[in-house]
Amino acid sequence: MTAPSRTVPAPPPVLQLTVVPTPQPPGEVRPVLHLVRPGRPLPLPALPPGPRPSAASSALAHDEFGPVPTGRAELPPAGAAARRLVTTALEALAGRRPLAQVQPLTSTGVYAALSAGRRPQWCTEGNAPVVIGPVRVCEPVDGVAEVSAVAHRAGRAHAVAARIEGVDGRWRCTALQIG
């Protein structure tokens, strides 16, 4: 008698891992991953574009160095600050007051541009006074105001436009254009 034959099952196939790169669009920006260490604070996220953060959310910024955005409720009237800025800047460009008096009213970039020595020709010619017409202020976002005015000198009119932002409890000019 012969014993029934047993079939031995075939061994399972050996699995192999093949790494296939995933197709990525060219120039894709991958998010930066930050490692978190125990006892270290998490990095603060960047603010999205749009309205300025409210005073309640800017409490985190008081722990950091640098300028702190200020909301409209904590700022003086924008009209008075705008008129002072336009008057001071035009008188400084005309040579009637020192340019250093403009520095507390402007950002470092605006002050550097004013002190570069490029003055509009109408500001430097003659000795007629600069007369500033009504200063118009529009506040599109909390803590930001856009200013426009017309300056008259020697029978000609010239446009002035500026952007002032609330920083550290006061208005500061971040953009200035004199035509």
Side-chain angles (χ1 to χ4, degrees):
M1 248 177 91
T2 63
S5 69
R6 286 182 104 181
T7 59
V8 178
V14 178
L15 295 177
Q16 293 182 347
L17 178 63
T18 304
V19 178
V20 178
T22 59
Q24 299 291 330
E28 177 182 354
V29 178
R30 294 180 180 231
V32 178
L33 299 177
H34 297 282
L35 298 177
V36 179
R37 294 184 181 171
R40 300 259 182 165
L42 294 173
L44 296 176
L47 294 175
R52 300 279 178 189
S54 64
S57 66
S58 68
L60 297 175
H62 291 294
D63 295 337
E64 299 175 4
F65 293 102
V68 178
T70 305
R72 178 66 183 101
E74 302 168 12
L75 292 167
R83 185 161 207 50
R84 179 176 173 223
L85 167 75
V86 170
T87 304
T88 306
L90 290 178
E91 287 179 354
L93 288 175
R96 295 189 177 261
R97 68 169 61 214
L99 191 61
Q101 292 183 3
V102 181
Q103 188 173 12
L105 305 174
T106 61
S107 66
T108 55
V110 172
Y111 182 71
L114 288 173
S115 61
R118 293 172 290 168
R119 299 177 179 186
Q121 187 175 4
W122 66 270
C123 283
T124 58
E125 290 179 346
N127 57 2
V130 177
V131 178
I132 299 169
V135 177
R136 304 199 191 297
V137 178
C138 173
E139 296 185 43
V141 179
D142 184 36
V144 176
E146 295 174 351
V147 178
S148 65
V150 177
H152 301 276
R153 185 173 194 190
R156 300 200 60 187
H158 305 278
V160 179
R163 178 182 175 98
I164 56 176
E165 297 181 7
V167 178
D168 295 332
R170 61 186 176 150
W171 292 106
R172 181 170 289 175
C173 177
T174 57
L176 179 65
Q177 181 140 7
I178 301 172

